[in-house]
């Protein structure tokens, strides 16, 4: 689309990254971040500090920003999904366990992609997902993976249109912070050299 630019995120983008990641996670980020909110902070404060770090998976360094006519319109966060070191303890938290079990080692994992409401229906989300393919290729990763709730039908339609296929699933563990209290979390993958589904 005209006026759309994708660029590497900068530290100054962390507030927008936190807002967009919070929107993209269907309540999971709220669940993870809420215990770290103190009396003066907020979920956005916690998320901003989380993404301001360097050298970790959840960092602005792993984000791509979509700008439309100079305004931040959306973001995509991804990182290489590698097998944990031997002896790593299994996830004890029942809410987080389904996501810990849905990991496609060797892939580039897209943990969040979101577009602000004013910029939706312009193809920005699709372009950000194409950027995930490009990043996977640059990192010599053969696949892109992501997790989507089966109840999030609009997101699932987009991913299927882009050629993602389901390879595993786990039932959700209900929690008030999550936007969905039933159904499954789906592990979806796409080979980076595969042709995109017709648009």
């Amino acid at each position: 689309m005209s006026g759309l630019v994708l660029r590497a995120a900068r530290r100054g983008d962390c507030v927008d990254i936190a807002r967009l990641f919070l929107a993209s996670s269907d309540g999971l980020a709220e669940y993870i971040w809420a215990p770290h909110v103190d009396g003066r902070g907020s979920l956005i404060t916690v998320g901003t500090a989380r993404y301001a770090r360097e050298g970790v998976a959840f960092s602005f360094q792993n984000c791509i920003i979509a700008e439309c006519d100079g305004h931040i319109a959306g973001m995509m966060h991804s990182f290489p999904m590698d097998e944990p070191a031997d002896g790593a303890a299994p996830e004890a938290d029942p809410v987080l366990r389904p996501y810990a079990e849905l990991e496609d080692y060797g892939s580039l994992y897209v943990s969040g992609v979101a577009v602000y409401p004013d910029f939706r229906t312009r193809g920005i989300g699709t372009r950000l997902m194409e950027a995930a393919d490009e990043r996977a290729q640059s990192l010599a990763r053969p696949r892109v993976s992501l997790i989507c709730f089966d109840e999030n039908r609009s997101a699932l339609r987009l991913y299927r249109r882009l050629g993602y296929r389901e390879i595993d699933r786990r039932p959700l563990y209900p929690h008030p912070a999550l936007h969905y209290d039933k159904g499954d979390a789906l592990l979806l993958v796409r080979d980076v050299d595969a042709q995109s589904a017709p648009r």
Side-chain angles (χ1 to χ4, degrees):
M1 67 175 282
S2 177
L4 177 65
V5 174
L6 299 189
R7 62 167 176 81
R10 300 184 285 261
R11 189 184 296 277
D13 300 321
C14 287
V15 171
D16 283 287
I17 292 170
R19 288 177 178 145
L20 288 160
F21 190 84
L22 192 62
S24 77
S25 73
D26 287 326
L28 193 59
E30 179 182 347
Y31 175 79
I32 294 169
W33 297 353
H36 304 285
V37 175
D38 60 26
R40 299 163 296 171
S42 67
L43 290 171
I44 298 302
T45 303
V46 172
T48 299
R50 181 177 174 87
Y51 276 96
R53 299 174 300 169
E54 296 186 12
V56 295
F58 287 87
S59 166
F60 71 93
Q61 294 170 314
N62 287 320
C63 294
I64 293 177
I65 297 293
E67 281 189 349
C68 189
D69 297 324
H71 301 281
I72 291 180
M75 74 92 196
M76 185 271 297
H77 172 244
S78 64
F79 57 89
M81 177 61 71
D82 294 320
E83 195 162 0
D86 289 342
E91 177 58 62
D93 187 323
V95 175
L96 300 180
R97 188 178 301 126
Y99 316 102
E101 293 177 352
L102 294 173
E103 295 183 341
D104 179 32
Y105 302 130
S107 68
L108 179 76
Y109 176 63
V110 174
S111 71
V113 59
V115 177
Y116 280 127
D118 288 350
F119 295 96
R120 290 175 188 163
T121 70
R122 302 187 194 184
I124 298 173
T126 297
R127 183 65 192 94
L128 285 166
M129 292 307 298
E130 290 170 352
D133 273 14
E134 295 161 9
R135 183 161 194 245
Q137 288 175 323
S138 73
L139 295 172
R141 298 285 165 152
R143 297 174 307 283
V144 177
S145 66
L146 57 88
I147 294 173
C148 182
F149 294 146
D150 62 0
E151 291 293 308
N152 188 347
R153 294 192 170 90
S154 61
L156 199 53
R157 278 195 300 273
L158 169 65
Y159 298 138
R160 285 180 171 155
R161 179 169 61 81
L162 294 175
Y164 283 81
R165 67 187 189 281
E166 178 186 338
I167 63 168
D168 204 355
R169 63 169 61 207
R170 291 290 186 280
L172 298 179
Y173 189 93
H175 187 275
L178 300 183
H179 296 179
Y180 304 103
D181 59 4
K182 62 180 181 178
D184 292 342
L186 312 181
L187 177 60
L188 306 178
V189 301
R190 181 181 185 278
D191 297 331
V192 297
D193 58 351
Q195 295 296 316
S196 296
R199 297 180 188 172

